[in-house]
C-alpha cells in the first residue's frame, strides 16, 4: 500500500478521553473511531490487525479439528427463556423488540443457540465428538464502557462449543482448547497464562482464564514465576491424543496461577518467596466445561449406543478477538508508539523514502515494493512529500516491526537501512539482502 | 475434510416452509438453519460458501483500489437525525434503546456513519479520491421475511463509499465500481446485468442495479438479448484510467436493460423484436452516484485547493453477499441439488469411497486427499460406511462441481472416475492424472 493512497488519519494530539495507553495509541494511529460509547469503527489500519488476529484464531481452531460456522448477531428471546438466562442476565443484555413486537436480543454469547442447533440435527453418539465455533460480533451493554476496544459494548469474539458423549470426552475437548489457545496467543507474540478462574454466568466448575500480564490489566493476578518460563513453541501435537493434550494441560496449569477471584493466600504462601509474583493481567480468553447444564435445560439428548438417551456434555471456549488488539498494544509499546509482533502486524515492513521525487530513491522504493509484494509480504510505502522526521514519527507510531529507509547517500553506496522497531537497531544492506532478510524474518509467520 | 468428522446435517424431506428452490436446497444441504423469521445460522457448509463469496468481493474491491475497513452493526440515532433519514426510513429500520435510554439502530446502510468518519478526518482535496468499503451484517426489519437468505432480515452486505472533489471524479468512481462488479460476479460464475434502476431511499439520479436472470427473480426485467453475449473476461484494466472504465460502462450499459421500475415500453419497442426479452431477475448489487446529498446535510467539506470549501461528491455501492448464496443456487441447480460454480464451491472436489474398509480403496482415497491438500485444494472425503447411492445423493445435493469415485474394480485397472456435477459426464483416469486434471480446472480460481 502506498501511503498517499491510504486512509491513515493519525492524530498529533493525545485524545483526552482515552485513559489507557492502548486506547490512546489506537486513536492516535488512526486505527479506530468511536461512533457511540463503547462502539467503534475499525479504520483501515485497525481493521487489518483485527483480521490478522481473526485469521490466526481460525487457523488454530481448524488445526485443532474444530469446525467453523456463523450464528447471527440477533437472537430470539425464547431460546434464552428455555435456559432460564433471559431473566437472569440483567441489564448488560441488549433487549430488542422488532416491528411485530417479538422479543429479541443482541447475543452476548451463544450457548442457547448452538444447543438449539445441536438438538435439531444431532441425535446419536455416532456424530460425536463435535466442536463448532464462530467468530461474530457480540454486544454487552456495559454501564460504563471504557478503555477503548478493551471494554467496548460491541465486540468481536470467537466462541466455540464442544459436544461429547461423556464427561471424560468433554474434558479432552477442554484440554484440546487449552492447547490450541496456547498456540494461538504465542503466534500473536503474547504470553497468555492459563489461570484458574470463576465461571460466572456461563456456569460450570472447570474453567481457566488466559491472562496477559500488563500493568494496566483489570485483574490482580498471583502466580509462581516459573510459569512465565513456559513456552508451547512449535512442538507437534496430536489433538486427538488424550494423553498429549492432558500432558500440556498439566505442564501449563500445575504451577500456581490464579486471579483474585480464586486466589488462595495459604496455598500461594507455600511457593518459595522468590517465586511469588503479584501483578496485573488482561483477560483474553476463557475455557469452560459445564457438563449438561444447557443440554438438560434444553433437551439436547443423544442415543448413547446402549439403548439410552443421555444429555450431551458441553463446554464453551472464548477468545476476545477485538479485545486482543488492545491487549497486544498494552503488552507491546513504547513512548513513540505501538510495536507490533510480527504475527499480527498490519503491514510487514515500512518503506521510508527520504527524498521523494529523486529518481534513484523513487526507483529503489518501487523496486523494494515490488520485491516484497512478489514474496507475499505487504509493505507500507510512505511516498508522501514529507520530511524524514515526520515519516519516521508516523512509522514509529503505527508500529510496523521493520522499516527500510531509502536515501540518496545510502543508495550511492548501494545500500538501504533496515531498522527494528523493537530494538531501534539498524543495519545497512543491499536492496536484495534487505528483502531476503525481511522475508526470512516472516517465514515462520507465513 | 472427512465427512465422518464434519457437521453436514442434510435433510431427506423437503422442508415445507421453503417456497423457492434456493431456500429448499440450502435447508436440505444443511447450509443454514433459521433461528427466527428472516434470521439464519450459517452451518459449516453454508458458511464456507459465504466466505468464498466474501473473499472474491474483497479481492476485487482491493484490486480496484478501494480500502477495506469495518463499521459497527449498531449506530447512534443522532447521525440519522442529521441526515433526516431517521424519521424517513420507516418501520424497516430496527430501532433500539440502550440501558441509558439512548436511541440506537441496527444499521441498514452506512452513508451517515461513513460521512461522519470522513468529515472528522479529511479536510483537503489532497486526500482525495478516496473509496472506503466494508463487509458487515445489516438489518432490515422486513414485514414478511421470506425466500430464505434472499430476503432475510439480518444480511451480510458489502457497502462502499467514494469521496471525490468533483462530479466528474465521482462518476469515474461510479464507473470503476461498475467494472469491479462485473469482474466480481463473473468470478462467481454469474452473469449479472447492469440495469438502469430507481434510486429509492439512498437518493441520487445515477444508479444501476445488477441483476441475475432467474425464473424466481423478484423483479421483472426487460432487455436486449445482445447484452447476454457480453463477457468481461480476464481483460486487463487500469482502474485509474477514466477512459478505460468509461469504455466498459458504455459497452455494458448502452443496450436496453431495465427493471420494471424504469422500463420504457416505447424505447423497448425500438429494439428488433427478435432481440426483445422479458424475464425475471434477482438483484445482487447496486451502485449510486448521489452527489452532495449527505455531504451537504452533514457538513463534509474539503478545501478545494483554490481557497474554497466545497461539499465532497459521493456515491455508494453495494453487493448483497449473503443474498448471493441464494442467487447463485437459483441460477445453478438441477433436480438433484445445487451445482456450485468453481469460484464459490465450498469444497473443490468430493471423494467417494465405494468400499469403505477395503484397504486399497481407503489407501487410494487417503492418497487423493493428501495430493489435493498439497496442491492447496480442499477435498470433501465421504468416508462414511454408507451405500454408494446414499453417498452419490449427498454429493449431488451439496453440489460440488467435481467428484472422484474410488472403487475396487477401477483400482484393479489403476483408475478412478472423475465426474462433472454439471454435465454428469465421467472419465476414467489414473490417480495422478485425476489430481492434475482437477488442479488444472481450478488454476484460474486460485
Amino acid at each position: 500500500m502506498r501511503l498517499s493512497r491510504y486512509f491513515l488519519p493519525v492524530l498529533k494530539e493525545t485524545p483526552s478521553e482515552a485513559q489507557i495507553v492502548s486506547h490512546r495509541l489506537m486513536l492516535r494511529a488512526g486505527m479506530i473511531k468511536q461512533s457511540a460509547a463503547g462502539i467503534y469503527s475499525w479504520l483501515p489500519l485497525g481493521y487489518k490487525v483485527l483480521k490478522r488476529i481473526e485469521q490466526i484464531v481460525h487457523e488454530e481452531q481448524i488445526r485443532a479439528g474444530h469446525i467453523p460456522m456463523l450464528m447471527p448477531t440477533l437472537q430470539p428471546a425464547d431460546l434464552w427463556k428455555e435456559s432460564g438466562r433471559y431473566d437472569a442476565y440483567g441489564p448488560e443484555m441488549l433487549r430488542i423488540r422488532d416491528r411485530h413486537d417479538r422479543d429479541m436480543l443482541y447475543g452476548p454469547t451463544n450457548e442457547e443457540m448452538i444447543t438449539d442447533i445441536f438438538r435439531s440435527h444431532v441425535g446419536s453418539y455416532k456424530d460425536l465428538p463435535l466442536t463448532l465455533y464462530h467468530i461474530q460480533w457480540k454486544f454487552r451493554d456495559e454501564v460504563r464502557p471504557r478503555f477503548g476496544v478493551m471494554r467496548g459494548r460491541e465486540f468481536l469474539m470467537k466462541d466455540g462449543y464442544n459436544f461429547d458423549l461423556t464427561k471424560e470426552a468433554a474434558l479432552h475437548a477442554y484440554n484440546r482448547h487449552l492447547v490450541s489457545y496456547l498456540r494461538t496467543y504465542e503466534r500473536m507474540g503474547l504470553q497468555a497464562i492459563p489461570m484458574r478462574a470463576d465461571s460466572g454466568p456461563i456456569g460450570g466448575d472447570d474453567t481457566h482464564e488466559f491472562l496477559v500480564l500488563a500493568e494496566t490489566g483489570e485483574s490482580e493476578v498471583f502466580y509462581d514465576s516459573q510459569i512465565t518460563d513456559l513456552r508451547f513453541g512449535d512442538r507437534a501435537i496430536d489433538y486427538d491424543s488424550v494423553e498429549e493434550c492432558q500432558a500440556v494441560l498439566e505442564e501449563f496449569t500445575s504451577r500456581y496461577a490464579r486471579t483474585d477471584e480464586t486466589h488462595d493466600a495459604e496455598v500461594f504462601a507455600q511457593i518459595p518467596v522468590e517465586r511469588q509474583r503479584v501483578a496485573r493481567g488482561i483477560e483474553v480468553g476463557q475455557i469452560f466445561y459445564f457438563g449438561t447444564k444447557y443440554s438438560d435445560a434444553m433437551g439436547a439428548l443423544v442415543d448413547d449406543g446402549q439403548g439410552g438417551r443421555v444429555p450431551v456434555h458441553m463446554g464453551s471456549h472464548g477468545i476476545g478477538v477485538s479485545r486482543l488488539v488492545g491487549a497486544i498494544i498494552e503488552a507491546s509499546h513504547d513512548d513513540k508508539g505501538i510495536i507490533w509482533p510480527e504475527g499480527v502486524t498490519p503491514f510487514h515492513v515500512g518503506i521510508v523514502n527520504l527524498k521523494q521525487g529523486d529518481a534513484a530513491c523513487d526507483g529503489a522504493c518501487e523496486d523494494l515494493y515490488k520485491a516484497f509484494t512478489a514474496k507475499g509480504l505487504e509493505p507500507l510505502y510512505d511516498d508522501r512529500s514529507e520530511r524524514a522526521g515526520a515519516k519516521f514519527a508516523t512509522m514509529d507510531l503505527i508500529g510496523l516491526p521493520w522499516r527500510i529507509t531509502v536515501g540518496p547517500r545510502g543508495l550511492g553506496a548501494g545500500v538501504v537501512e533496515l531498522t527494528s522497531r523493537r530494538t531501534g537497531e539498524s543495519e545497512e544492506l543491499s536492496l536484495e539482502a534487505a528483502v531476503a532478510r525481511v522475508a526470512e524474518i516472516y517465514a515462520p509467520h507465513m
Side-chain angles (χ1 to χ4, degrees), chain A:
Chain A
M1 178 58 64
R2 288 168 169 78
L3 198 42
S4 64
R5 304 189 72 158
Y6 202 47
F7 180 57
L8 183 70
V10 299
L11 305 181
K12 294 205 179 86
E13 310 291 315
T14 296
S16 57
E17 76 270 29
Q19 299 168 36
I20 60 170
V21 67
S22 61
H23 190 191
R24 280 196 294 273
L25 287 174
M26 288 181 75
L27 289 168
R28 283 191 55 213
M31 292 178 64
I32 52 171
K33 180 182 187 311
Q34 180 174 300
S35 76
I39 304 180
Y40 292 88
S41 285
W42 294 77
L43 303 183
L45 193 77
Y47 174 71
K48 278 186 85 79
V49 177
L50 191 68
K51 292 308 272 187
R52 297 253 194 234
I53 293 172
E54 192 180 331
Q55 182 61 26
I56 291 173
V57 174
H58 270 304
E59 287 173 11
E60 294 304 328
Q61 286 302 299
I62 288 168
R63 194 193 303 271
H66 306 159
I67 301 174
M69 59 172 297
L70 190 61
M71 289 175 270
T73 61
L74 297 198
Q75 305 187 14
D78 289 347
L79 282 177
W80 290 68
K81 289 175 181 164
E82 268 194 77
S83 74
R85 287 207 294 179
Y86 189 67
D87 294 323
Y89 215 91
E92 290 198 355
M93 177 185 278
L94 185 66
R95 292 153 209 263
I96 299 169
R97 193 158 278 183
D98 75 7
R99 70 190 288 175
H100 296 300
D101 274 337
R102 282 174 296 218
D103 284 323
M104 315 278 295
L105 55 98
Y106 200 123
T109 176
N110 286 60
E111 281 80 10
E112 284 79 359
M113 187 172 278
I114 199 77
T115 304
D116 180 51
I117 290 169
F118 182 89
R119 72 180 172 184
S120 303
H121 291 298
V122 182
S124 165
Y125 71 97
K126 291 181 193 164
D127 294 322
L128 305 181
L130 177 66
T131 295
L132 298 167
Y133 79 92
H134 75 158
I135 299 179
Q136 178 61 292
W137 291 92
K138 298 183 175 59
F139 202 91
R140 256 182 235 141
D141 204 358
E142 299 266 357
V143 66
R144 266 183 302 279
R146 61 209 149 124
F147 304 153
V149 300
M150 296 270 285
R151 206 179 183 95
R153 294 197 290 168
E154 188 169 329
F155 60 98
L156 187 62
M157 193 169 153
K158 171 257 162 182
D159 44 323
Y161 305 88
N162 68 284
F163 301 92
D164 288 276
L165 185 62
T166 63
K167 177 171 182 180
E168 292 64 40
L171 288 176
H172 171 55
Y174 183 92
N175 298 350
R176 198 174 61 228
H177 277 88
L178 182 133
V179 179
S180 74
Y181 281 26
L182 291 172
R183 278 190 67 107
T184 300
Y185 297 121
E186 281 194 15
R187 282 189 61 187
M188 298 176 190
L190 283 178
Q191 181 168 45
I193 304 169
M195 300 197 181
R196 198 192 288 185
D198 190 47
S199 67
I202 302 278
D205 296 326
D206 288 276
T207 179
H208 280 90
E209 278 182 2
F210 288 78
L211 286 109
V212 173
L213 300 177
E215 284 166 24
T216 48
E218 75 272 58
S219 314
E220 189 164 32
V221 298
F222 305 83
Y223 62 95
D224 178 339
S225 67
Q226 284 191 335
I227 206 162
T228 54
D229 296 332
L230 298 173
R231 293 288 179 280
F232 186 79
D234 58 357
R235 61 180 101 171
I237 181 111
D238 175 1
Y239 279 109
D240 289 338
S241 164
V242 170
E243 295 71 25
E244 286 188 28
C245 292
Q246 176 71 28
V248 175
L249 174 101
E250 284 168 14
E251 178 184 349
F252 280 83
T253 63
S254 60
R255 289 172 189 78
Y256 191 92
R258 299 196 188 177
T259 63
D260 46 10
E261 288 170 337
T262 54
H263 178 54
D264 182 328
E266 277 185 42
V267 182
F268 188 63
Q270 291 163 23
I271 304 169
V273 167
E274 69 277 14
R275 279 165 37 200
Q276 291 177 10
R277 293 286 184 283
V278 181
R280 301 201 70 83
I282 300 168
E283 191 211 325
V284 291
Q286 189 160 6
I287 55 179
F288 298 92
Y289 163 71
F290 48 69
T292 59
K293 175 177 169 175
Y294 296 91
S295 47
D296 276 331
M298 298 180 65
L301 308 177
V302 292
D303 167 2
D304 65 2
Q306 301 174 344
R309 299 260 296 159
V310 294
V312 72
H313 285 258
M314 293 174 58
S316 70
H317 314 280
I319 293 178
V321 174
S322 50
R323 155 171 275 232
L324 270 165
V325 182
I328 292 168
I329 296 173
E330 291 292 335
S332 184
H333 66 272
D334 64 14
D335 291 346
K336 296 178 192 164
I338 301 163
I339 306 172
W340 292 116
E342 276 81 359
V344 300
T345 182
F347 295 95
H348 297 105
V349 58
I351 303 173
V352 169
N353 188 341
L354 290 182
K355 198 169 181 187
Q356 206 72 38
D358 174 85
C361 288
D362 293 0
C365 288
E366 291 293 336
D367 288 347
L368 286 167
Y369 193 93
K370 282 183 203 134
F372 283 123
T373 306
K375 286 193 183 287
L377 295 169
E378 277 192 276
L380 179 67
Y381 170 23
D382 191 343
D383 60 344
R384 299 171 304 163
S385 299
E386 292 273 354
R387 283 181 304 175
K391 291 189 175 189
F392 289 147
T394 297
M395 285 291 175
D396 285 344
L397 174 61
I398 68 172
L400 309 187
W402 298 93
R403 185 185 80 207
I404 292 185
T405 309
V406 177
R409 194 161 12 170
L411 282 186
V415 296
V416 295
E417 192 182 60
L418 177 66
T419 306
S420 161
R421 173 69 180 85
R422 190 169 298 276
T423 66
E425 285 167 17
S426 295
E427 52 180 326
E428 297 197 326
L429 295 165
S430 70
L431 272 73
E432 296 71 26
V435 172
R437 178 95 175 79
V438 172
E440 186 190 322
I441 289 163
Y442 282 103
H445 299 280
M446 304 300 281

